[in-house]
Amino acid sequence: MRISRQAFAWSFVSIGCILLGITPCSFAETVSMSRMTSEAALENMFLKMERDTLQFAEKMEELLASDAKCTQSTLESCRGGSYHGCNSEFPNPECPGMQYAIADCGKGKEGGCGGVFDFTTSQIRISPDQYSYDYNDRVKDGVCSTLSAEKYMTAAWEGGKEYWSGFSVEPPPIFFGSADGVFRILPGSPSECSFGLFTYDPRIRPWYVGASSGPKDVILILDTSGSMGIVGRLAAMKKAAERVISTLNYADHFAAIEFNSIANRVGARRGTPLQKATTLNKESVINEIKNLNSGGETNFRSGFEIAFDVLKYSEATEKSSNCHQAILFLTDGVMSDDKNSFLGYFDGEYSRLKSKGKPPVLFTYSFGQLADAEVPKNLACKYNGLWADIEDGGNLAETMGAYYKYFALGLSANVDSKFVSWVEPYEFAEGTGYGTTGKRSILLVVLLLV
């Protein structure tokens, strides 16, 4: 056994607040039932969850930094000690009732069973893109090294019962997700999985992306020229755009632009600033993207003109996250407008933003066999961005959806060890309702054993 290499990896520990999914009533009404209606009592509840999250984060950092976290002997014990929700029979299953009711299983009312959970055993999920008959070393390391956290997770869950009984609910779930797609959660729950695979990927969930990248402004410039209508490119673009937009949260702002011979703002009028990434705004833009058609030429400048105008309007109206900014530019063809004129225009606009200290990070994507590699690549290289070349049939959604990792690496030197961030209420993947999550990121050095 030897250490083969080191790699930095972002991981996230979270304690999910599930009060929004307990009953049909609202969060405030749930608090009222427990006679804790004061603002101070509600604030204390969130402070407790933040303390619990920080303690969990500190414990995970301690466990994952240990040289003895993953040896050959622990790998063997890990093989039989971790329960995969797709094909495991949990040792202590129970039906907790309404709070953990899964929509597809029933509401759990009046003693009914709305889902089976094990509060003594954590569950492992591995993102579908990592599936293999023999998982790679980083995935194995993620599963093995987090198994030792199960004892802490179960103790923390049991220790929270007295406090949460004041709200007539069980303690919230505790979970951990890694950059390699490994996810461990307590309580565990068996699932029905097609072909034995989870569709769940923690890295695209709002709580993960929000913690890793911080507040951000994101502008998508999407090619809808005629060539996008072949080889499934348009469908791939729509899927990728939906993935990027779905990962944004209420602290973010965004805009989507489609271009061919001309360009248009998607989901908003031209001459308006960035939109706040509320659930309603995201759904509206995604629906319009789904209805886009292909046709026309490939005028790069038309798309960027709207993008730079959006940034100007947002600056003037203060409609911005005032933090990171990114432009994601996708094309499958060769530009139809004059290259020199476009490059001169772009340089002027970028220089103006740089003089204000706010130049956006440029992510460019050349998609398909005939895509222009020269201009997108040169733009990314000259203006400190990133360029990717994706073949037809390649995973465009995964490539574009990974843009936030750029900001995650930038945050690594300035992580506030006492800061817990919250995400806008979202629907839980298990179907148990809506809620919010308190989360903190940790940057680890992962040692791979071979």
Side-chain angles (χ1 to χ4, degrees), residues 131-254:
Y131 177 75
S132 171
Y133 178 76
D134 185 21
Y135 288 108
N136 67 51
D137 290 336
R138 291 190 61 147
V139 171
K140 291 178 181 177
D141 179 90
V143 174
C144 176
S145 59
T146 59
L147 177 60
S148 55
E150 185 176 81
K151 183 177 180 180
Y152 177 89
M153 295 166 76
T154 53
W157 195 88
E158 286 290 331
K161 277 188 171 182
E162 181 177 356
Y163 175 83
W164 290 103
S165 66
F167 296 87
S168 301
V169 298
E170 299 285 357
I174 304 174
F175 48 90
F176 169 93
S178 80
D180 299 302
V182 175
F183 180 75
R184 185 178 290 276
I185 184 171
L186 183 83
S189 178
S191 306
E192 291 185 3
C193 308
S194 299
F195 308 106
L197 292 175
F198 271 114
T199 58
Y200 183 88
D201 187 341
R203 299 165 298 181
I204 62 174
R205 298 296 291 173
W207 57 268
Y208 190 101
V209 177
S212 64
S213 59
K216 54 197 170 294
D217 299 336
V218 176
I219 298 179
L220 289 161
I221 306 177
L222 307 169
D223 189 341
T224 56
S225 61
S227 56
M228 284 292 291
I230 64 173
V231 204
R233 292 174 188 167
L234 192 65
M237 178 273 282
K238 293 177 180 181
K239 182 178 179 182
E242 180 176 1
R243 173 160 174 171
V244 170
I245 294 171
S246 296
T247 59
L248 303 175
N249 64 47
Y250 70 97
D252 303 322
H253 289 71
F254 77 110

Side-chain angles (χ1 to χ4, degrees), residues 17-33:
C17 173
I18 61 170
L19 293 180
L20 289 177
I22 300 171
T23 68
C25 66
S26 69
F27 183 87
E29 290 169 332
T30 305
V31 175
S32 177
M33 288 181 197

Side-chain angles (χ1 to χ4, degrees), residues 10 12 212-213 324 403-413 443:
W10 277 94
F12 302 89
S212 64
S213 59
H324 303 299
Y403 76 96
Y404 69 87
K405 295 180 181 179
Y406 179 96
F407 300 122
L409 293 173
L411 290 174
S412 63
L443 182 67

Side-chain angles (χ1 to χ4, degrees), residues 4 27 45 63 68 76 99 128 175 193 202 214 218 242 265 276-277 284 310 336 355 359 445:
S4 60
F27 183 87
M45 176 198 295
L63 291 173
E76 291 302 320
Q99 179 181 344
F175 48 90
C193 308
V218 176
E242 180 176 1
R265 183 85 179 266
K276 195 170 182 63
S284 175
V310 168
S336 57
S355 68
V445 176

Side-chain angles (χ1 to χ4, degrees), residues 70 150 169 184 209-210 215 246 278 346 352 358 371 422 442 448:
C70 205
E150 185 176 81
V169 298
R184 185 178 290 276
V209 177
S246 296
T278 64
F346 187 95
R352 181 187 65 83
K358 297 181 180 179
W422 293 86
I442 53 178
L448 302 182

Side-chain angles (χ1 to χ4, degrees), residues 31-147:
V31 175
S32 177
M33 288 181 197
S34 62
R35 299 177 185 176
M36 297 182 69
T37 57
S38 72
E39 182 177 339
L42 185 61
E43 182 178 354
N44 285 335
M45 176 198 295
F46 280 93
L47 287 174
K48 172 183 167 48
M49 292 189 69
E50 290 184 3
R51 288 194 300 269
D52 291 346
T53 300
L54 289 172
Q55 289 174 5
F56 184 32
E58 290 170 0
K59 184 63 177 180
M60 292 304 298
E61 286 177 327
E62 175 188 328
L63 291 173
L64 296 175
S66 171
D67 292 337
K69 65 176 182 176
C70 205
T71 63
Q72 196 62 46
S73 61
T74 57
L75 278 172
E76 291 302 320
S77 63
C78 177
R79 190 185 303 275
S82 291
Y83 287 76
H84 192 285
C86 288
N87 48 27
S88 295
E89 196 170 304
F90 286 80
N92 299 297
E94 60 178 280
C95 295
M98 292 172 59
Q99 179 181 344
Y100 282 89
I102 300 172
D104 291 341
C105 300
K107 298 182 179 180
K109 292 183 177 180
E110 299 176 355
C113 184
V116 175
F117 294 85
D118 189 332
F119 296 93
T120 68
T121 307
S122 63
Q123 173 191 22
I124 278 290
R125 303 177 192 171
I126 300 173
S127 61
D129 67 297
Q130 296 284 16
Y131 177 75
S132 171
Y133 178 76
D134 185 21
Y135 288 108
N136 67 51
D137 290 336
R138 291 190 61 147
V139 171
K140 291 178 181 177
D141 179 90
V143 174
C144 176
S145 59
T146 59
L147 177 60

